Amino acid sequence: MTTVQRPMRADARRNYERLLAAARDAFAGHGTEASLEDIARSAEVGIGTLYRHFPTRRALIEAVLHDGIVTLDAQARELLESPSPEEALLEWLRHLMAHATTYRGLAVALMSSIRDPSSELHGSCETMRRNGDRLLAHAQRAGAIRPDITGVDLVKLVNAIAWAGEYGENDADRLLDLVADGLRRRDR
């Protein structure tokens, strides 16, 4: 049996949008562990309204990140047409890095969600992994990238660099260059 979802009432839609805006601000200032009560207060709604729209913190994070995931997906599709599969993969990894560093704490949430199919973020993680797989396979077929690397490896490496950047110097670009060097085939 298929259930039909009714459109949101105008007031519910306004509350939803205010919650997203408040969450973006709170995550930008305090990371993904920002107080949900403070987010509801900032959106001028009760905590029950927040939970009606977003039953878990990860559901709220997923909603806040939705546009970024759509953009990453489009970028991956476009990069598959690149004449240099290696450069396309590396460019996409930089986009993924920028995404993973959007909010403090996001890298940890993404890493735990990639292994948890029940997490609301799991679908986004799978989209990123599939995109990474496609770009990686393209670069591997071209002989540019080692054949023993997987898409999950790439997502983990990028998130590890993003996490490390939260607790030390922000040298993510340099670390990603080091990872890129390790991805390249040595026998060509």
Side-chain angles (χ1 to χ4, degrees):
M1 176 180 195
T2 303
T3 59
V4 177
Q5 211 171 13
R6 294 182 309 179
M8 263 192 229
R9 293 185 336 247
D11 62 331
R13 171 53 73 190
R14 277 192 304 277
N15 288 342
Y16 180 88
E17 295 300 332
R18 289 186 358 214
L19 283 164
L20 285 179
R24 282 185 194 98
D25 289 346
F27 293 165
H30 306 288
T32 59
E33 291 299 316
S35 164
L36 297 180
E37 290 82 8
D38 289 348
I39 291 170
R41 193 174 308 109
S42 178
E44 299 177 350
V45 300
I47 192 70
T49 299
L50 182 142
Y51 281 117
R52 264 192 303 284
H53 288 288
F54 309 104
T56 66
R57 177 180 301 277
R58 296 227 170 134
L60 179 58
I61 294 169
E62 168 68 24
V64 167
L65 296 177
H66 177 76
D67 292 344
I69 298 297
V70 170
T71 300
L72 270 173
D73 191 45
Q75 289 167 333
R77 292 172 195 277
E78 185 178 305
L79 286 167
L80 277 170
E81 304 301 318
S82 172
S84 172
E86 178 183 358
E87 289 307 312
L89 175 64
L90 297 178
E91 183 177 339
W92 187 78
L93 289 176
R94 290 190 194 294
H95 292 305
L96 184 60
M97 175 67 69
H99 175 75
T101 58
T102 303
Y103 302 113
R104 190 177 71 250
L106 180 57
V108 171
L110 292 172
M111 282 310 303
S112 62
S113 295
I114 199 166
R115 297 181 307 266
D116 181 6
S118 67
S119 170
E120 292 86 345
L121 285 168
H122 184 73
S124 293
C125 292
E126 279 299 298
T127 297
M128 289 183 274
R129 184 200 52 77
R130 278 191 306 273
N131 285 329
D133 281 347
R134 284 193 288 270
L135 288 160
L136 175 63
H138 192 50
Q140 287 170 326
R141 282 191 303 272
I145 302 295
R146 295 171 31 184
D148 60 328
I149 305 294
T150 69
V152 171
D153 293 335
L154 294 178
V155 172
K156 285 179 180 179
L157 287 167
V158 167
N159 279 292
I161 294 169
W163 175 82
E166 292 179 14
Y167 299 97
E169 288 184 36
N170 192 357
D171 54 356
D173 287 334
R174 186 181 75 76
L175 292 174
L176 192 56
D177 287 341
L178 291 171
V179 166
D181 190 49
L183 296 175
R184 291 185 180 98
R185 287 185 68 133
R186 300 286 181 232
D187 59 351
R188 56 181 189 137

